[in-house]
Amino acid sequence: MKGLTEYINENLQNKKEFLIIKPEFLHLKNQILDYLKDFGIIPIREMRKTLTLSEAKKLYKPHSKEDFYPALCDYMCSGDSIGFVLCNYKGADLLKIKDNIRKKYGVDEMRNAVHSSDSGLNVHRESKIYFATPEI
């Protein structure tokens, strides 16, 4: 019998999401995960790390022309974050859920508790950056 992770990977590829709990908000991990679970969104992969500046720049490359880009990249490197690949098995709107989390816990536009991918392509791109194994 296959485990839950194998089932999800084989059958729910199009329902994966990517989310990061930003530096200084790690203490909210359980509350954020509980909130996501209420909408049928469960973690299937998790990693805690401090992003390098190179990783942050790759992650936020779509915003590289914005004035806030350098500060955002520096902020994302300022401490540990937790990245998640999530299974959205009920098809909830993660962007709306993210907005609610930001309203509840965020401090300002940059220090807003969480980042999430806005498309399936970005789920793949961003999770690949976050979960990349460092070269030895």
Side-chain angles (χ1 to χ4, degrees):
M1 183 174 182
K2 293 184 179 184
L4 178 61
T5 300
E6 289 84 10
Y7 174 83
I8 289 168
N9 285 333
E10 290 176 9
N11 298 292
L12 300 174
Q13 289 292 326
N14 60 340
K15 294 189 178 187
K16 286 187 179 172
E17 306 279 6
F18 177 69
L19 180 124
I20 298 173
I21 299 178
K22 293 183 175 185
E24 81 183 274
F25 295 95
L26 303 189
H27 65 284
L28 298 171
K29 174 185 167 187
N30 291 336
Q31 292 98 309
I32 291 169
L33 290 179
D34 286 345
Y35 186 70
L36 293 170
K37 286 176 191 174
D38 288 344
F39 293 94
I41 301 173
I42 58 171
I44 57 175
R45 187 168 183 196
E46 171 183 338
M47 183 179 1
R48 180 177 175 153
K49 70 187 278 185
T50 299
L51 289 169
T52 66
L53 185 56
S54 174
E55 289 170 325
K57 286 180 175 182
K58 287 178 192 172
L59 191 67
Y60 290 101
K61 186 177 181 172
H63 304 291
S64 63
K65 303 266 190 243
E66 303 291 339
D67 291 339
F68 63 81
Y69 176 74
L72 177 60
C73 291
D74 288 343
Y75 171 67
M76 290 303 293
C77 299
S78 68
D80 280 0
S81 60
I82 305 174
F84 298 91
V85 174
L86 306 163
C87 175
N88 186 348
Y89 68 90
K90 290 184 180 177
D93 185 343
L94 182 60
L95 296 178
K96 286 184 181 178
I97 294 167
K98 173 186 73 174
D99 287 344
N100 290 337
I101 293 169
R102 287 176 165 185
K103 286 175 187 170
K104 184 171 185 173
Y105 300 115
V107 176
D108 57 35
E109 285 190 26
M110 185 176 2
R111 296 168 41 225
N112 54 19
V114 294
H115 162 86
S116 71
S117 298
D118 60 0
S119 70
L121 288 174
N122 278 334
V123 168
H124 178 74
R125 185 186 72 78
E126 293 176 3
S127 63
K128 188 176 175 182
I129 293 165
Y130 195 93
F131 289 100
T133 305
E135 293 183 25
I136 297 174

